[in-house]
Amino acid sequence: MPILDENQLAQRFTAEFSSPPRVSVRAPGRVNLLGEHTDYNDGFVFPAAIDREIRVLAARRQDEQVHACSVDFSQRSSFDLSNFGSDPGATWSNYLRGVVSEYRKRGFEIRGMNLLISGNVPIGAGLSSSAALEVAVAEAVRVLGEFELEKTEMALLCQAAEREFVGVQCGIMDQFISVLGQEGTALFLDCRDLSFSLVPIRFDAKIVICDSRVQRTLGASEYNKRRAACEETVRLLQPRLGEIKALRDVRIDQLEENQSRLSEHHYRAAHHVISENERVLRGVELLKTNAMAPFGDLLYQSHESLKNDYQVSCRELDLLVDLAAAQPGTLGARMTGAGFGGCTVNLVRTQEVEPFQEEVSRGYEQKTGRKPFIYMCVPSQGVTSRAL
Ligand code: GLA
């Protein structure tokens, strides 16, 4: 997807609002290497920020209005700060309305502003275009208002915006990596206390994303259902296991011992989450020692678990993983993000990326009639901004 360069965006901004932008922000999407549906269980995740981003140009206004223009949707959405809700006709604007509302809840004084938004993170593809938008807007608002805000606080504010204004009871992973990611690394995050470390990615393999181009239509409702099932499982296990707060606190042997107390559905969901946490911990150690092949195996295992136990995959994602696995250069493949469509993440030996692209693309098109988008991505820097 083409993205307008800085000059073109600035010209567009000036044409749109009859005054120039003052700040330019970029915030990246992400690919999650390991740790899917673990963040809202106080678990572990291992994502990387990618070289696909949302850009926001912004400037203050003299009144109490917020005017936002989306280049990609060719649409404008405006509201008065004295009274605003969500905009059903411009759902993209709800992310920024949510961010503004969360700043205010925290006592920050928000003034009027103009915002121009553009980006090349595919929408609804499981690469966190929504978190990138929230984070980019949050940074623009922070710079314009000269607010002091810790990076972790910014991630939490954006997560709250998505929960309150968009209605997805999401975890913290996407916003956190979009704020705190760093070039050339994956970020190992403990979602309970938000402690994290950055692990350099050094191996001679590329991270390749295959976009099924199936949109996540069921997304929000199924996501919230999975989350509720995890919480119910914790409640069902509490009488036996005592002080557990989240599935993070349950070991696999404890789950097995208590299998008879749980429905098949609850048992399997918990099995995914607990085993996925273990995979993240192992994966981080493997990446540190550059052990590509066993790291890749964890990706395959993660996919099986998401498909069979957590049941968030779909035919097209399974097909992409199978096609990838049949390629000699593939070290590992799995769905990434919430699921029900979207993308797979693949680890492919550098030399073999080209044939991988050709073969997977051909096979997928043959079976589905749809051409997938396949591209390499580079682990990138979290949000950045600069004055204009
Ligand atoms: C979405 C959510 C994240 C996380 C993933 C699944 O991307 O926003 O918080 O739960 O799904 O791992």
Side-chain angles (χ1 to χ4, degrees), residues 103-125:
Y103 264 114
R104 290 176 117 191
K105 280 191 199 159
R106 287 161 178 73
F108 291 99
E109 204 178 314
I110 305 284
R111 314 303 301 271
M113 62 191 126
N114 293 325
L115 302 159
L116 184 81
I117 301 162
S118 168
N120 63 355
V121 190
I123 292 165

Side-chain angles (χ1 to χ4, degrees), residues 30 32 35-40 45 126 128 162 168-175 216 223 337-339:
R30 64 102 187 91
N32 189 16
E36 219 63 86
H37 291 278
T38 47
D39 60 353
Y40 53 82
V45 292
S128 289
E162 179 142 353
V168 178
Q169 296 305 310
C170 64
I172 188 65
M173 168 169 68
D174 305 345
Q175 293 80 7
R216 298 178 300 146
Y223 183 94

Side-chain angles (χ1 to χ4, degrees), residues 54-56 68-72 92 96 115-119 133 137:
I54 300 287
R55 296 253 182 127
V56 170
C69 172
S70 163
V71 174
D72 307 319
W92 56 270
L96 67 102
L115 302 159
L116 184 81
I117 301 162
S118 168
L133 173 56
V137 170

Side-chain angles (χ1 to χ4, degrees), residues 237 240-241 253-262:
L237 291 175
R240 290 295 297 263
L241 300 180
D253 59 296
Q254 294 175 315
L255 178 71
E256 309 289 342
E257 276 163 25
N258 290 285
Q259 184 170 358
S260 59
R261 311 184 143 257
L262 303 174

